[in-house]
């Protein structure tokens, strides 16, 4: 592992960890207002962005190349860093959608997906990288 690249992913992990913990904390609370939904979605967008970037940096430290979120997810799945590559791609798709649109019905549905589907995969990544840190 290249020492500088190893340091980079660990530094990025610290930011991912902070964002993930906030997402996890507030996802467990009852979410009933528009402001709460928007907040959870924003935490998800930020956490997901940091997740793929920490994956990219981790992969680079291991000698792989990933230039985009899609490449990082595919490579991380092939390297068995993450599980359920299809769900990660779904999370990427939803993250991309939320950046460009806001619709109350979509937001309500997305919050449920974040809580039930996306938070667990982010938790798995967090646990895996925490061990490697």
């Amino acid at each position: 592992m290249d020492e500088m690249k190893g340091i980079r992913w660990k530094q990025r992990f610290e930011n991912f960890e902070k964002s993930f913990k906030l997402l996890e904390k507030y996802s467990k609370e009852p979410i009933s207002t528009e402001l709460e939904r928007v907040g959870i979605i924003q935490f998800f967008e930020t956490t997901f962005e940091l997740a793929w970037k920490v994956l990219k940096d981790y992969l680079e430290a291991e000698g792989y190349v990933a230039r985009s979120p899609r490449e990082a997810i595919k490579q991380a799945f092939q390297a068995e860093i993450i599980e359920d590559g299809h769900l990660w791609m779904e999370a990427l798709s939803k993250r991309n959608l939320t950046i460009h649109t806001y619709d109350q019905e979509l937001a309500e549905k997305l919050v449920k997906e974040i809580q039930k589907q996306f938070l667990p995969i982010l938790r798995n990544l967090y646990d895996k990288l925490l061990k490697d840190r």
Side-chain angles (χ1 to χ4, degrees):
M1 182 182 290
D2 180 314
E3 189 175 334
M4 284 305 294
K5 290 182 180 179
I7 291 170
R8 186 179 325 148
W9 86 259
K10 290 175 184 178
Q11 290 171 335
R12 178 111 50 199
F13 176 79
E14 289 177 14
N15 292 325
F16 166 70
E17 180 177 41
K18 291 173 192 170
S19 184
F20 169 75
K21 286 187 174 189
L22 288 170
L23 174 64
E24 185 176 55
K25 175 183 176 182
Y26 292 112
S27 291
K28 292 177 181 177
E29 300 291 323
I31 299 164
S32 55
T33 69
E34 184 175 24
L35 182 60
E36 291 167 337
R37 281 190 294 279
V38 170
I40 291 298
I41 291 168
Q42 181 63 54
F43 275 133
F44 167 70
E45 290 170 354
T46 302
T47 304
F48 190 85
E49 185 73 13
L50 291 166
W52 87 259
K53 287 182 178 180
V54 76
L55 275 175
K56 177 184 176 293
D57 291 345
Y58 183 89
L59 288 164
E60 286 177 356
E62 295 292 318
Y64 298 98
V65 175
R67 292 182 179 91
S68 69
R70 187 170 299 282
E71 284 181 27
I73 291 167
K74 286 181 181 180
Q75 192 65 252
F77 179 72
Q78 290 172 352
E80 298 181 354
I81 298 165
I82 61 171
E83 300 173 6
D84 203 342
H86 292 291
L87 190 54
W88 273 89
M89 289 298 186
E90 179 69 17
L92 173 62
S93 176
K94 294 295 171 109
R95 193 279 323 247
N96 290 341
L97 180 64
T98 63
I99 288 173
H100 301 293
T101 32
Y102 180 80
D103 172 272
Q104 185 171 342
E105 189 176 316
L106 173 68
E108 290 171 4
K109 183 179 178 208
L110 180 58
V111 166
K112 289 176 184 156
E113 290 175 320
I114 290 167
Q115 292 170 315
K116 293 182 178 14
Q117 297 178 314
F118 304 147
L119 194 58
I121 63 172
L122 291 166
R123 162 55 72 188
N124 289 343
L125 175 63
Y126 172 76
D127 291 343
K128 162 84 172 118
L129 295 180
L130 188 63
K131 288 179 195 170
D132 290 352
R133 187 172 71 169

